[in-house]
Amino acid sequence: MNIGELAERTGVSIRSLRYYEQKGLLTPLRKENGYREYTPFAVEQVQAIQLYLNLGLSTDEISGILQCVLQNKEAFCKDVLPIYQQKLQEIDKQIQVLTSIRANLTERIDSILLERSLSGQEEG
Amino acid sequence: MNIGELAERTGVSIRSLRYYEQKGLLTPLRKENGYREYTPFAVEQVQAIQLYLNLGLSTDEISGILQCVLQNKEAFCKDVLPIYQQKLQEIDKQIQVLTSIRANLTERIDSILLERSLSGQEEG
DNA sequence: CTTGACCCTCACATTAGTGTCAGGGTTTAC
DNA sequence: GTAAACCCTGACACTAATGTGAGGGTCAAG
């Protein structure tokens, strides 16, 4: 199928499909006229790519595991677990930072509300 | 003082000080030779900017409140509270997304570990 | 044989703060 | 008067996936 049909079937933009190819995630054949030619299996490939992107993996990380996971169960691909574990650490770090900022923000908000309830003043 | 001294006193790079000026957060005078001339008060200004950046505010958001908060208590500046509250909402949304991803990741990790403990296979 | 829908590549824009380099003045101390 | 240290502007790089547009082939239906 052509790129337009793959885009329609997967809901992924043509631009993104070309980008995935540039990053080595998809390698369609080319027709004589230069058009990309995708097999029906490409639909599953694209869905897998989207799934991993939604997990926060980068295209580079995905490229390292995509071939294996498309042909096996995840547990069978030795590269998947360390990537997941590293991503989990990053996520935890981000949550930690955000939680800290959140505490600071709520403290300041409460402080402002308290002061205003005491004096009732405000200005630009 | 010159920009180098301000950078040294605040621990903020010269590059960043110029950027803050470009974004309207600092407006030093200029000497006849074109050098930026900062008052001692600029040290407090830069520290305030850093504080708000660390709270996740953008330079645009900071520019809207900086003048007031440098001269008053936060509670006295009417623009501060809505910015804090909006930022809090964004943070909560981010934490929510990350938490969801985290749950998905740990589920997959556990699943992999479970499958491996049952079959003991792996491969690249 | 022309129109419209499809495809191609190349490349800039987006976010946001900071690093870094080029190319070039100024000042200070020797 | 020159070297070192300081300052200036302008501009590209970085991250990462995607949008968008220019400029230009291809194909299918009429």
Side-chain angles (χ1 to χ4, degrees):
Chain A
M1 79 191 79
N2 283 344
I3 196 170
E5 185 178 346
L6 181 58
E8 202 172 336
R9 283 205 208 176
T10 59
V12 172
S13 73
I14 291 177
R15 176 67 178 87
S16 294
L17 294 176
R18 295 202 183 110
Y19 177 72
Y20 298 160
E21 177 177 354
Q22 182 189 326
K23 303 300 283 187
L25 302 180
L26 287 175
T27 50
L29 298 175
R30 294 297 180 123
K31 300 179 184 173
E32 282 191 356
N33 61 15
Y35 285 19
R36 291 167 177 81
E37 171 70 27
Y38 295 93
T39 69
F41 183 59
V43 174
E44 291 167 57
Q45 282 182 277
V46 173
Q47 286 166 348
I49 292 169
Q50 288 286 297
L51 184 149
Y52 289 119
L53 284 177
N54 287 335
L55 277 179
L57 304 193
S58 68
T59 51
D60 281 353
E61 289 166 330
I62 295 172
S63 78
I65 62 170
L66 191 61
Q67 289 314 309
C68 184
V69 297
L70 281 172
Q71 294 166 8
N72 309 279
K73 299 173 75 168
E74 278 187 343
F76 197 71
C77 303
K78 73 175 191 311
D79 291 337
V80 172
L81 186 59
I83 288 179
Y84 278 176
Q85 287 169 333
Q86 184 196 332
K87 189 58 58 178
L88 182 59
Q89 279 198 337
E90 294 171 16
I91 301 265
D92 280 345
K93 181 63 183 171
Q94 291 175 47
I95 290 177
Q96 183 183 328
V97 169
L98 288 175
T99 301
S100 165
I101 293 175
R102 189 189 194 288
N104 197 335
L105 273 175
T106 55
E107 191 178 323
R108 285 166 178 272
I109 289 173
D110 289 348
S111 167
I112 289 175
L113 293 177
L114 176 63
E115 286 208 43
R116 288 196 184 168
S117 73
L118 294 180
S119 69
Q121 296 170 45
E122 65 179 47
E123 193 221 303
Chain B
M1 77 192 81
N2 283 343
I3 195 170
E5 184 178 347
L6 181 59
E8 201 173 336
R9 284 205 207 175
T10 59
V12 172
S13 73
I14 290 176
R15 176 68 177 84
S16 294
L17 294 176
R18 295 201 184 113
Y19 178 72
Y20 298 160
E21 178 178 354
Q22 182 189 327
K23 303 299 282 187
L25 302 180
L26 287 175
T27 49
L29 298 176
R30 294 297 181 122
K31 299 180 184 173
E32 283 189 357
N33 60 17
Y35 286 18
R36 291 167 177 81
E37 171 70 27
Y38 295 93
T39 68
F41 184 58
V43 174
E44 292 166 55
Q45 282 182 276
V46 173
Q47 287 166 347
I49 292 168
Q50 288 286 297
L51 184 149
Y52 290 119
L53 284 177
N54 288 335
L55 278 179
L57 304 194
S58 67
T59 51
D60 281 352
E61 290 166 330
I62 296 172
S63 77
I65 63 170
L66 191 61
Q67 289 315 307
C68 184
V69 297
L70 281 172
Q71 293 167 7
N72 309 278
K73 300 174 75 168
E74 278 188 343
F76 196 72
C77 304
K78 74 175 191 310
D79 291 337
V80 172
L81 186 59
I83 288 179
Y84 278 175
Q85 287 169 332
Q86 185 196 333
K87 188 59 58 177
L88 181 60
Q89 278 198 337
E90 294 171 16
I91 300 265
D92 281 344
K93 180 63 183 172
Q94 292 175 47
I95 290 177
Q96 183 184 328
V97 169
L98 289 174
T99 301
S100 166
I101 294 175
R102 189 190 193 287
N104 198 336
L105 273 175
T106 54
E107 191 178 322
R108 285 165 177 273
I109 289 173
D110 290 347
S111 167
I112 290 175
L113 293 177
L114 177 62
E115 286 208 44
R116 287 195 185 167
S117 73
L118 294 178
S119 70
Q121 296 170 46
E122 65 178 49
E123 192 220 304

